[in-house]
Amino acid sequence: EDLGRPEAAIKAYRRTLELNPSASEALANLLGFGRHTDLTVEIAKAREQLEAADVPSQALIGYGLGKALEREKDYEGAFSAYSHANDARRKTSGTFDRDVFDARIDQMISLFSPEFYKSRRGWGDTSQKPVFIVGLPRSGTTLTEQIIGSHPDCFGAGELNVLSDLATGTPDRLGICDPSWPAIAPQLDEGHVRGLAQDYLTQSKSRATEPISRVVDKQPLNLWHLGLVALALPNARILHCTRDLRDCGFSIFAHNFNAQQGWSTCLEDIAHYWRGYRKLMAHWRSATDLNILDTPYEHTVDDLEDRARAML
């Protein structure tokens, strides 16, 4: 809402609702403009539609209503709206399977052991161009990318899916159907690893318009693929964004993520996911030689210059 032409956007959303009163996406987006207009009418309309709308619309309206009420300091009403939105989204995304999640982490810790890397040392590409910003969503990854990307020698590539696609595509690279990533990792030879590195380097810098020293990939959940980074791009820099779980967790709870992030619809599930992610990050630190810098969100906003210099 801080960019572009908010007054024109408000007018367009209200015109949309005149033409189609049940346009839930327009109503949800409009509810985010409380800084620029009186939303009394729209808040009342959202309260009415929250119970009556279909499930996807309940999610959209609930998140929007929560933001509007939070801006008005009606925190109890905002939390109720966010809870309603998350309940609705969970009906479409499904519940978070904690056992599957825990097993995935344990599998990675077992596979990507210190011995795994010791026997494969020197296989990857020595390039220092890649920079990966990882952490939970809402932990300051966007701010961190803006800081790094503002340097003339750095290119902010945004949230790339390149690393994830390369990891999940490893069976095709080997010409087999099973097993999938990460279980297939021990079957990769040195040629496969160098090929993965070269493919990442080529694809990640494809949008850069001029020569640069660093390419910044701001896909927070690349934290799941640091095992591949340590193997194929061992000289990459990792900026690990952290934030107090109470702030970060609630911000996740108040945000409309895609259906794949089913863990984000329940405060208890968010806490469970946080514990697992911290366990995995601790493993990457102990089992690999990756250059990982913690970048606490609180420190960045308190002393921007100091943290920016540390990052750079």
Side-chain angles (χ1 to χ4, degrees):
E1 66 178 275
D2 295 325
L3 301 174
R5 298 160 55 199
E7 291 78 13
I10 291 166
K11 184 177 180 180
Y13 284 134
R14 282 182 167 149
R15 178 57 177 159
T16 300
L17 290 167
E18 288 176 12
L19 297 172
N20 180 10
S22 62
S24 56
E25 188 169 358
L27 177 58
N29 289 338
L30 179 55
L31 288 166
F33 283 89
R35 184 186 304 176
H36 304 280
T37 188
D38 181 359
L39 293 173
T40 301
V41 172
E42 286 78 16
I43 288 174
K45 183 178 296 184
R47 290 184 189 276
E48 292 175 7
Q49 293 190 12
L50 191 57
E51 300 288 346
D54 58 39
V55 170
S57 296
Q58 286 182 37
L60 284 171
I61 294 169
Y63 289 115
L65 178 60
K67 287 181 175 60
L69 295 177
E70 193 174 349
R71 181 174 290 281
E72 294 197 346
K73 295 183 170 52
D74 180 0
Y75 300 123
E76 186 173 341
F79 188 83
S80 178
Y82 289 138
S83 297
H84 194 112
N86 280 294
D87 289 344
R89 191 158 67 82
R90 192 158 52 250
K91 291 177 182 177
T92 57
S93 66
T95 56
F96 174 56
D97 193 323
R98 298 185 186 182
D99 292 336
V100 170
F101 174 79
D102 292 343
R104 183 184 180 193
I105 291 175
D106 290 341
Q107 179 191 34
M108 287 192 168
I109 290 174
S110 176
L111 278 171
F112 297 112
S113 64
E115 293 73 27
F116 175 90
Y117 291 106
K118 185 177 180 180
S119 64
R120 293 164 174 80
R121 185 165 286 127
W123 279 22
D125 192 288
T126 59
S127 173
Q128 297 189 33
K129 275 192 174 181
V131 178
F132 295 97
I133 297 175
V134 303
L136 288 187
R138 316 301 295 170
S139 63
T141 56
T142 299
L143 174 60
T144 300
E145 184 198 33
Q146 289 172 341
I147 293 169
I148 301 298
S150 65
H151 193 285
D153 292 337
C154 299
F155 172 66
E159 295 189 11
L160 300 179
N161 293 321
V162 176
L163 196 59
S164 178
D165 290 344
L166 289 174
T168 57
T170 47
D172 291 337
R173 190 175 294 266
L174 272 65
I176 59 179
C177 298
D178 193 62
S180 60
W181 183 265
I184 200 173
Q187 298 186 36
L188 296 171
D189 62 26
E190 186 173 359
H192 296 137
V193 171
R194 288 192 176 276
L196 286 163
Q198 285 301 315
D199 286 350
Y200 179 83
L201 292 170
T202 299
Q203 294 178 47
S204 63
K205 68 178 182 181
S206 62
R207 288 184 290 171
T209 56
E210 55 190 47
I212 35 82
S213 299
R214 299 286 187 271
V215 176
V216 185
D217 184 342
K218 195 218 76 154
Q219 174 52 263
L221 297 182
N222 273 337
L223 64 94
W224 287 101
H225 298 302
L226 293 184
L228 176 57
V229 173
L231 182 63
L233 298 161
N235 289 333
R237 302 299 200 276
I238 315 299
L239 293 173
H240 173 215
C241 293
T242 65
R243 188 181 182 187
D244 189 295
L245 176 61
R246 291 164 295 183
D247 288 323
C248 191
F250 180 72
S251 186
I252 291 170
F253 188 73
H255 194 83
N256 188 13
F257 287 99
N258 61 48
Q260 283 70 45
Q261 311 304 329
W263 59 274
S264 66
T265 62
C266 166
L267 291 175
E268 290 79 8
D269 286 344
I270 292 170
H272 189 92
Y273 193 99
W274 180 84
R275 286 191 292 269
Y277 126 78
R278 297 288 291 186
K279 179 180 177 181
L280 186 60
M281 286 302 302
H283 173 73
W284 298 139
R285 284 187 178 280
S286 64
T288 76
D289 294 325
L290 284 173
N291 188 332
I292 302 174
L293 176 69
D294 286 337
T295 59
Y297 176 80
E298 294 81 4
H299 293 181
T300 302
V301 296
D302 283 344
D303 193 342
L304 179 60
E305 181 175 346
D306 177 71
R307 294 310 302 170
R309 289 184 182 281
M311 293 178 203
L312 290 169

